């Protein structure tokens, strides 16, 4: 079959136009590619969603992001940042799916029954498309069959600026959530989003201030805990995630506390069916054969 160009979708990606991106937000391009699309900057011509913008992976439901985005905004799994949304901005949003219960409540949506929307972070879909090296897992499992592990991993928040020693919090290694998005790199090597995903999935335990480090860990069946660091960024997004999983959540100071929390609470977290999330995608999905022909290998 002759390869065809992937349809372009205007997508709000935090730091998406920068050389250095944030791991979680950068996953938008990876997932949309696997669905058969190319994520492009807001305002680019020739997009499938002309006059509209997709808000998907990331805590991008905020007045700041919405004000800087023209036209209709399509929410598919995006998360709320914790501030009340201006009614005039809310009127420009069409909700297809949200990350969790806190986001639904903030947008005035019922949590069940008539009017309820699908819930789940779209990053949870990645195991359907990308099998990380040396893993065999089920979506949202509490454990997976892994032939090699690289020990425990500390993944701080993007804005954690301290010089960190992973051993000080009981971890074996440190990986910051900075990822390479474009341009040449000389003298300083940064991982791609998939490089960092592989590193997370190869770990035996993930302690993270990066929300999407723990979401990826959950998706691929790796034990994890939320790390307090020097500051808990955006408490609302963490509460949204914990409530989605149906568990008691907290931020811990070190790996020992994290492993205790995991055995007491985290291991019981449940990822809901992802079929409604896929069915709620705002735009027509390409046929599977077309996706295979047009998507580059990851």
């Amino acid at each position: 079959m002759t390869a065809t160009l992937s349809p372009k979708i205007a997508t709000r990606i935090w730091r998406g136009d920068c050389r250095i991106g944030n791991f979680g937000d950068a996953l938008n391009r990876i997932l949309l590619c696997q669905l058969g699309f190319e994520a492009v900057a807001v305002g680019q011509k020739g997009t499938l969603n002309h006059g509209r913008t997709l808000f998907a992976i990331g805590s991008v439901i905020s007045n700041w992001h919405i004000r800087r985005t023209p036209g209709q905004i399509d929410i598919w799994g995006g998360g709320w940042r914790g501030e009340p949304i201006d009614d005039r901005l809310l009127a420009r949003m069409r909700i297809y799916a949200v990350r969790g219960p806190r986001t639904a409540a903030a947008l005035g949506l019922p949590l069940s029954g008539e009017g309820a929307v699908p819930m789940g972070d779209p990053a949870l879909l990645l195991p359907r498309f990308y099998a990380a090296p040396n893993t065999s897992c089920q979506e949202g499992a509490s454990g997976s069959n892994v032939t090699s592990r690289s020990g425990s991993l500390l993944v701080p928040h993007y804005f954690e600026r301290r010089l960190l020693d992973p051993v000080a919090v009981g971890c074996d290694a440190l990986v910051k959530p900075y990822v390479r998005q474009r341009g040449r790199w000389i003298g300083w090597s940064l991982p791609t989003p998939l490089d960092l995903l592989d590193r997370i999935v190869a770990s035996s335990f993930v302690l993270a201030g990066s929300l999407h480090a723990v979401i990826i860990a959950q998706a691929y069946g790796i034990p994890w805990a939320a790390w307090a660091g020097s500051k808990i960024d955006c408490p609302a997004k963490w509460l949204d995630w914990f409530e989605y999983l149906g568990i008691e959540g907290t931020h811990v100071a070190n790996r020992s506390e994290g492993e205790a929390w995991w055995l007491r609470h985290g291991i019981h977290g449940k990822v809901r069916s992802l079929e409604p999330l896929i069915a709620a995608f705002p735009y027509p999905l390409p046929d599977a054969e077309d996706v295979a022909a047009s998507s580059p290998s990851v």
Side-chain angles (χ1 to χ4, degrees):
M1 178 181 292
T2 302
T4 58
L5 294 176
S6 300
K8 298 178 180 179
I9 293 181
T11 308
R12 170 61 68 186
I13 302 175
W14 184 65
R15 295 192 59 83
D17 59 349
C18 301
R19 294 180 71 193
I20 299 175
N22 180 46
F23 172 63
D25 298 274
L27 292 174
N28 277 289
R29 287 195 175 93
I30 303 298
L31 178 58
L32 287 174
C33 175
Q34 295 309 302
L35 291 175
F37 304 100
E38 178 186 356
V40 299
V42 177
Q44 189 170 133
K45 295 181 179 180
T47 59
L48 176 68
N49 57 341
H50 177 70
R52 302 159 66 180
T53 300
L54 178 67
F55 279 30
I57 300 173
S59 301
V60 289
I61 303 178
S62 71
N63 293 320
W64 189 90
H65 284 292
I66 299 168
R67 288 193 181 106
R68 286 158 178 77
T69 306
Q72 178 179 306
I73 294 170
D74 299 323
I75 306 295
W76 181 64
W80 180 54
R81 288 200 62 83
E83 63 176 2
I85 304 298
D86 187 295
D87 288 340
R88 292 170 296 178
L89 301 178
L90 188 60
R92 291 202 286 116
M93 298 165 61
R94 185 166 182 180
I95 316 300
Y96 293 86
V98 296
R99 181 167 59 206
R102 291 276 172 141
T103 300
L107 299 177
L109 302 171
L111 300 182
S112 61
E114 186 176 354
V117 297
M119 293 186 192
D121 192 291
L124 292 168
L125 293 168
L126 281 166
R128 296 190 173 204
F129 304 104
Y130 180 68
N134 299 324
T135 67
S136 174
C137 65
Q138 297 178 343
E139 295 166 0
S142 59
S144 61
N145 298 319
V146 181
T147 57
S148 79
R149 289 293 192 204
S150 60
S152 56
L153 189 66
L154 174 64
V155 188
H157 184 264
Y158 188 91
F159 286 131
E160 180 67 69
R161 300 306 192 196
R162 295 178 300 166
L163 292 175
L164 299 173
D165 177 7
V167 177
V169 294
C171 290
D172 298 306
L174 163 73
V175 175
K176 293 190 175 182
Y178 307 149
V179 293
R180 182 174 75 246
Q181 295 190 132
R182 62 180 178 83
R184 296 181 60 190
W185 295 88
I186 301 175
W188 184 28
S189 177
L190 281 180
T192 67
L194 284 180
D195 290 337
L196 186 45
L197 186 152
D198 289 346
R199 186 72 184 276
I200 290 169
V201 175
S203 302
S204 58
F205 187 85
V206 175
L207 183 65
S210 163
L211 176 62
H212 277 88
V214 304
I215 289 176
I216 289 299
Q218 178 75 33
Y220 284 88
I222 309 303
W224 59 269
W227 182 56
S230 59
K231 177 184 177 182
I232 299 172
D233 173 72
C234 191
K237 72 181 183 183
W238 288 99
L239 292 171
D240 202 29
W241 171 241
F242 292 135
E243 291 181 14
Y244 167 78
L245 292 176
I247 56 176
E248 179 181 324
T250 190
H251 282 70
V252 301
N254 52 53
R255 175 185 170 186
S256 178
E257 290 183 10
E259 290 178 334
W261 172 85
W262 173 259
L263 293 174
R264 189 178 307 115
H265 301 290
I267 199 170
H268 302 295
K270 301 296 183 184
V271 171
R272 307 180 189 194
S273 171
L274 297 175
E275 299 307 322
L277 178 62
I278 295 175
F281 189 73
Y283 319 114
L285 290 168
D287 292 335
E289 290 186 1
D290 293 337
V291 172
S294 62
S295 296
S297 59
V298 292

